[in-house]
């Protein structure tokens, strides 16, 4: 019985399709690997740039305006009145503290 070797010469239709599929798959895998590596390098460069950049300057709130003497006295008298009405200061203590503020 003679041995049959298969087809000799150009590949058939199925062989051509299979070869094309292998080449296309390899090209896709290579392209994806290149894209992933580029994205990784970009992320590393951004992280490095963020580490090297100086911190943004903190904006400081302007200091509150200094209260005038009249406002300060009124505020302190209000606090004394609250303490007196809460029972923390007796009538005599309240009168003495009030006299001290107003003098």
């Amino acid at each position: 019985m003679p041995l049959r070797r298969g087809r000799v010469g150009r590949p058939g239709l199925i062989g051509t399709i299979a070869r094309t599929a292998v080449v296309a798959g390899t090209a896709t895998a290579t392209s994806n690997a290149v894209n992933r590596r580029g994205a990784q390098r970009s992320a590393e460069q951004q992280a490095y740039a963020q580490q090297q950049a100086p911190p943004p300057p903190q904006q400081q709130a302007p200091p509150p305006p200094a209260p005038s003497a009249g406002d300060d006295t009124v505020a302190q008298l209000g606090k004394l009145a609250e303490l007196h009405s809460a029972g923390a200061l007796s009538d005599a203590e309240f009168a003495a503290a009030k006299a001290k503020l107003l003098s």
Side-chain angles (χ1 to χ4, degrees), residues 12 20 44 56 70 79 103:
T20 303
E44 289 172 358
K79 288 179 186 178
S103 61

Side-chain angles (χ1 to χ4, degrees), residues 6-100:
R7 189 173 185 140
V8 178
R10 294 188 329 177
L13 180 61
I14 295 186
T16 303
I17 292 172
R19 183 181 301 142
T20 303
V22 168
V23 169
T26 304
T28 301
T30 303
S31 173
N32 289 342
V34 168
N35 289 340
R36 275 193 304 271
R37 180 66 179 144
Q40 182 181 5
R41 282 184 181 170
S42 176
E44 289 172 358
Q45 287 175 348
Q46 286 177 352
Y48 180 76
Q50 287 176 351
Q51 289 175 353
Q52 298 302 320
Q58 296 179 353
Q59 294 184 359
Q60 296 178 352
S68 64
D71 291 341
D72 190 39
T73 305
V74 171
Q76 288 181 354
L77 281 174
K79 288 179 186 178
L80 284 176
E82 288 177 16
L83 290 173
H84 181 252
S85 63
L89 293 177
S90 66
D91 290 335
E93 291 172 331
F94 175 70
K98 185 169 97 175
K100 183 178 176 183

